[in-house]
């Protein structure tokens, strides 16, 4: 490493010395009088210095992009083995439905809205009412679809539209960790519904002040953020294995009284 970093100054010094070694004898030999020889020698020295400065600038310019990339590069997996040190789509999809809901509410609160939870659905989805600063009524309804959904179809969009109609609210937002089908996008365009997928949500969080983004990251990753919460009982679920198929899933601790389960989530049991 020291040899590589030091190669630039050595090249500059060698160039400066070469110009002097070749130029000075010629400058002394060609002019006939002493004053001309002095002026010619000085000119050679100035040319050598200018060439050395230019070479140093070129060497430094070639090295700067690599240095900048090292500074800006995200932490590696070795530096952050848990993957919780910075925002990523993978981390977002590891959040259980209730933590994702809490993150979404906290995001809008960071924007200055007051939030009210309207309901929790059977699949862990939630309707969050947004109240603008100074207002006394909900102006928009937000529905959250967390880690149990990779691609969101038209059904949740229709459900959000029904919730908007029931609340008498003209605007809606559907937040998801995954992406949306073309059918869902087409339906939302005519219903004043904004679809925000995982990548867009991360961009929105990234647009906040750095301290706000870090506060949301801390909220999202505190404690056990990946084990789903039972929508009916409000307690963390437990890993189970199907007796017929051997398939792993999340089940409620209150089984058989509560038979809520989660299959196919990105944070499925190991």
């Amino acid at each position: 490493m020291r040899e590589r970093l030091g190669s630039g100054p050595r090249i500059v010094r060698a160039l400066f010395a070469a110009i002097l070694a070749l130029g000075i004898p010629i400058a002394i030999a060609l002019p006939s009088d002493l004053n001309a020889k002095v002026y010619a020698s000085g000119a050679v020295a100035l040319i050598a210095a200018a060439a050395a400065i230019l070479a140093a600038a070129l060497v430094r310019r070639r090295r700067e992009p690599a240095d900048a990339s090292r500074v800006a590069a995200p932490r590696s997996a070795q530096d952050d083995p848990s993957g919780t040190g910075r925002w990523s789509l993978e981390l977002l999809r590891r959040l259980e439905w209730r933590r994702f809901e809490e993150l979404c509410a906290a995001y809008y609160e960071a924007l200055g809205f007051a939030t009210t939870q309207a309901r929790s659905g059977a699949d862990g989805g939630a309707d969050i009412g947004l109240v603008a600063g100074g207002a006394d009524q909900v102006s928009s309804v937000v529905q959250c679809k967390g880690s149990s959904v990779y691609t969101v179809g038209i059904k949740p969009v229709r459900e959000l539209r029904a919730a908007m109609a029931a609340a008498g609210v003209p605007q809606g937002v559907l937040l998801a960790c995954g992406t949306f089908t073309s059918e869902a996008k087409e339906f939302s365009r005519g219903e004043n519904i904004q679809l925000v997928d995982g990548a867009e949500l991360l961009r929105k969080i990234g647009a906040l002040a750095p301290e706000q983004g870090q506060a949301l990251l801390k909220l999202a990753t505190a404690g056990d953020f990946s084990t789903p919460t039972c929508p009916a009982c409000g307690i963390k679920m437990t890993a189970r294995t199907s007796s017929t198929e051997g398939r792993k899933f999340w089940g409620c601790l209150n089984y058989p009284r509560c038979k809520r389960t989660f299959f196919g989530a990105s944070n499925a049991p190991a």
Side-chain angles (χ1 to χ4, degrees):
M1 177 66 74
R2 290 180 61 186
E3 182 179 355
R4 184 171 65 84
L5 292 176
S7 61
R10 284 203 299 272
I11 293 174
V12 173
R13 289 195 296 269
L15 178 63
F16 182 75
I19 294 176
L20 289 180
L22 295 175
I24 294 297
I26 295 174
I28 294 176
L30 290 180
S32 57
D33 61 273
L34 181 59
N35 288 336
K37 292 178 184 293
V38 172
Y39 288 137
S41 299
V44 169
L46 289 175
I47 292 172
I53 292 172
L54 177 62
L58 291 175
V59 169
R60 185 168 57 252
R61 185 175 180 180
R62 289 184 63 186
R63 198 167 60 223
E64 279 176 353
D67 294 342
S69 65
R70 283 197 299 272
V71 173
R75 291 189 293 178
S76 66
Q78 290 80 7
D79 295 331
D80 183 24
S82 66
T84 60
R86 62 186 179 90
W87 283 113
S88 67
L89 273 176
E90 181 183 358
L91 173 60
L92 195 65
R93 290 169 181 171
R94 287 169 60 192
L95 302 182
E96 58 112 351
W97 69 269
R98 174 162 289 179
R99 187 62 60 89
F100 182 68
E101 171 193 325
E102 292 170 350
L103 169 66
C104 294
Y107 166 73
Y108 282 104
E109 288 169 1
L111 294 181
F113 289 96
T115 61
T116 60
Q117 182 173 319
R119 66 172 177 82
S120 290
D123 63 348
D127 287 340
I128 300 173
L130 300 184
V131 181
D136 56 1
Q137 291 184 337
V138 172
S139 59
S140 185
V141 174
V142 178
Q143 190 174 81
C144 308
K145 289 295 180 182
S147 60
S148 61
V149 178
Y150 284 103
T151 303
V152 180
I154 193 172
K155 181 180 177 182
V157 189
R158 291 185 184 276
E159 292 174 349
L160 174 57
R161 183 66 188 89
M164 291 162 54
V169 175
Q171 301 179 88
V173 183
L174 184 56
L175 296 168
C177 292
T179 57
F180 296 94
T181 64
S182 56
E183 188 181 21
K185 293 177 182 178
E186 182 65 26
F187 181 82
S188 69
R189 292 189 186 102
E191 301 296 338
N192 204 21
I193 294 175
Q194 179 186 9
L195 303 183
V196 179
D197 61 19
E200 179 64 19
L201 178 56
L202 290 183
R203 283 191 288 270
K204 289 179 177 294
I205 293 175
L208 295 173
E211 60 273 15
Q212 291 177 312
Q214 283 300 311
L216 291 180
L217 180 62
K218 185 177 180 180
L219 166 70
T221 58
D224 182 0
F225 60 86
S226 60
T227 301
T229 301
C230 176
C233 304
I235 60 175
K236 289 292 185 180
M237 305 180 91
T238 186
R240 300 190 186 279
T241 304
S242 170
S243 59
T244 56
E245 301 176 356
R247 185 181 179 188
K248 294 183 180 298
F249 64 96
W250 295 107
C252 184
L253 284 170
N254 289 329
Y255 179 86
R257 181 166 55 87
C258 178
K259 297 182 180 180
R260 294 292 177 87
T261 59
F262 277 107
F263 283 93
S266 59
N267 55 349

